[in-house]
Amino acid sequence: MRAIKLLLIPGIALAAGGCTNTDDPQLAMCQAVAKQLTSNSIASWEKIDQSDRSRNRLVQIAYSTADDQSGSIDCIFPILDDGSVKTSPNKVALNGQSVGTKELLTAGVKASAELLKGTAANTVERSRELAGEAGKMVNDVAGKARDAAVDTSKALQQKLEE
């Protein structure tokens, strides 16, 4: 395995925690940071490896760019004492080169914004789906209530005619 040069960024706090539209927020954040650091030139994700160590989670991703170049990003996320994993990386290497503090902070903030925007769009879409489903259920219940009222009315009419 090649040596990975990484730069520690203490205190970086990004607002993506628990707000992404994925079951794997560290992977989503690492991919979003990669997109920011490559000016959104990534065409596909080729290989993803993750491993937990005693104090951090390492996410390693190989990718291809739109112009058929290959690259990689390595993101390290701290693991807290309670076992939870931070959603912002404190170390990142792009193509084996450490990403500087300022550059990582800028990319991280933009990545967080993109993830949150995607989450908001997904939430709106899911809300519309649920509202549509609720509307269908209301229509079904109203139809059943109408049918029951008609049946009851007919039964009552028959009883009155007897």
Side-chain angles (χ1 to χ4, degrees):
M1 184 170 160
R2 70 178 191 282
I4 302 172
K5 297 179 188 177
L6 300 171
L7 179 65
L8 177 63
I9 300 180
I12 185 172
L14 303 174
C19 298
T20 63
N21 57 352
T22 182
D23 291 333
D24 192 340
Q26 291 77 26
L27 175 59
M29 177 56 87
C30 193
Q31 289 174 324
V33 167
K35 286 179 182 180
Q36 292 300 318
L37 292 172
T38 62
S39 301
N40 208 23
S41 67
I42 296 175
S44 64
W45 306 110
E46 303 300 322
K47 183 177 179 189
I48 298 169
D49 291 315
Q50 295 188 56
S51 60
D52 282 358
R53 303 196 175 130
S54 62
R55 307 298 273 160
N56 59 54
R57 174 172 294 164
L58 173 61
V59 177
Q60 297 175 299
I61 305 172
Y63 60 84
S64 312
T65 62
D67 59 357
D68 237 8
Q69 298 293 313
S70 61
S72 67
I73 186 166
D74 302 314
C75 302
I76 293 184
F77 298 86
I79 297 177
L80 304 176
D81 292 335
D82 66 2
S84 63
V85 182
K86 292 260 190 170
T87 55
S88 57
N90 63 353
K91 300 175 186 179
V92 172
L94 184 68
N95 299 318
Q97 298 297 311
S98 296
V99 175
T101 304
K102 184 178 179 182
E103 188 178 13
L104 179 55
L105 182 58
T106 301
V109 168
K110 289 179 180 178
S112 292
E114 286 300 311
L115 288 172
L116 290 172
K117 186 169 46 171
T119 298
N122 288 343
T123 300
V124 167
E125 179 59 31
R126 184 66 181 139
S127 296
R128 285 185 183 138
E129 290 172 8
L130 291 173
E133 289 172 18
K136 288 176 186 174
M137 284 191 258
V138 166
N139 287 338
D140 288 346
V141 169
K144 288 176 183 175
R146 184 187 68 244
D147 292 345
V150 168
D151 291 345
T152 302
S153 177
K154 286 180 183 177
L156 184 57
Q157 181 79 22
Q158 287 176 350
K159 287 291 183 188
L160 290 174
E161 290 175 357
E162 292 177 353

